[in-house]
Amino acid sequence: MSEQTVLDPPSQTDPPEVLNDAETPAERKPRKRRSNPAKTPAKRGRPSARTAKATLRRIATKAEEIAVTDDDTRLLAAELTGADSPGIADLTTTIMAAKTSPLEAAVADLTIIQAGTIPEAVVHLVGMSQPELQALTQLVTAFSTQDLPAKLPGKSTDAALMLVDPVRAAVIDDGALQRLIRLLAT
């Protein structure tokens, strides 16, 4: 390949059309070119005014929801999401920037543990990471009267054996849990 070919951009000429054996140039129908929207580059830059206004409205609505939420629920929401504080600005920013809610995963873990047999619950607990176990214990402690240990052992099997019975026995206040789920929804 010559140096000239590599440096020059490719030509934008159309490739020659191939005729069928039975076709003559006069019988040929003109072909329409279609643009493929999947191959067009995405628009970049600032969002439209309508998009920006809708986003700002969602953020303001979330801030209002957080402002009328009780302090205990805001503190729990801040702990579960990793917000810097339970303040309205920090919590709103953290919730709106999150891709998924950590509460959803903790509720799913709780459901699996309570619905399964004891061996299934133990296996599930053993497979959970330390942050997942911490979120589960925060959830059970916040929404039930069940006492759970404040400090979990570092070894997953020890933590699972310590948590399996109290987590399975926990009766969760579903109304309060649903309010927190709505609060953490974006």
Side-chain angles (χ1 to χ4, degrees), residues 22-183:
E23 226 177 15
T24 65
E27 296 172 334
R28 186 177 47 183
K29 294 181 182 177
R31 295 182 186 170
K32 292 184 180 179
R33 292 190 179 253
R34 296 184 193 175
S35 65
N36 185 350
K39 291 186 178 182
T40 57
K43 289 185 178 180
R44 295 186 184 187
R46 299 183 69 195
S48 70
R50 182 181 299 174
T51 304
K53 188 174 181 179
T55 301
L56 291 173
R57 182 173 305 281
R58 285 187 317 114
I59 292 169
T61 301
K62 184 56 65 181
E64 287 176 343
E65 287 177 38
I66 292 169
V68 298
T69 302
D70 64 278
D71 291 339
D72 291 337
T73 305
R74 285 192 354 209
L75 184 60
L76 178 63
E79 289 173 2
L80 287 172
T81 59
D84 292 336
S85 76
I88 296 169
D90 285 338
L91 200 51
T92 302
T93 305
T94 303
I95 290 170
M96 296 307 288
K99 294 184 182 191
T100 61
S101 168
L103 185 61
E104 291 174 10
V107 169
D109 289 330
L110 177 67
T111 303
I112 291 168
I113 292 164
Q114 288 186 334
T117 64
I118 291 177
E120 290 170 339
V122 170
V123 168
H124 186 78
L125 283 164
V126 167
M128 293 173 66
S129 68
Q130 275 302 113
E132 291 169 332
L133 287 171
Q134 198 64 35
L136 177 67
T137 57
Q138 287 174 330
L139 173 73
V140 172
T141 302
F143 294 111
S144 77
T145 57
Q146 190 68 38
D147 289 328
L148 294 178
K151 177 97 170 114
L152 295 174
K155 192 173 178 184
S156 63
T157 53
D158 292 343
L161 293 173
M162 183 183 285
L163 290 174
V164 68
D165 289 332
V167 170
R168 287 178 53 80
V171 177
I172 303 297
D173 178 358
D174 193 51
L177 178 61
Q178 293 306 318
R179 284 191 297 277
L180 184 62
I181 288 173
R182 281 193 303 276
L183 182 68

Side-chain angles (χ1 to χ4, degrees), residues 1-12:
M1 190 184 286
S2 74
E3 189 173 350
Q4 184 70 20
T5 309
V6 173
L7 297 178
D8 290 342
S11 154
Q12 296 296 331

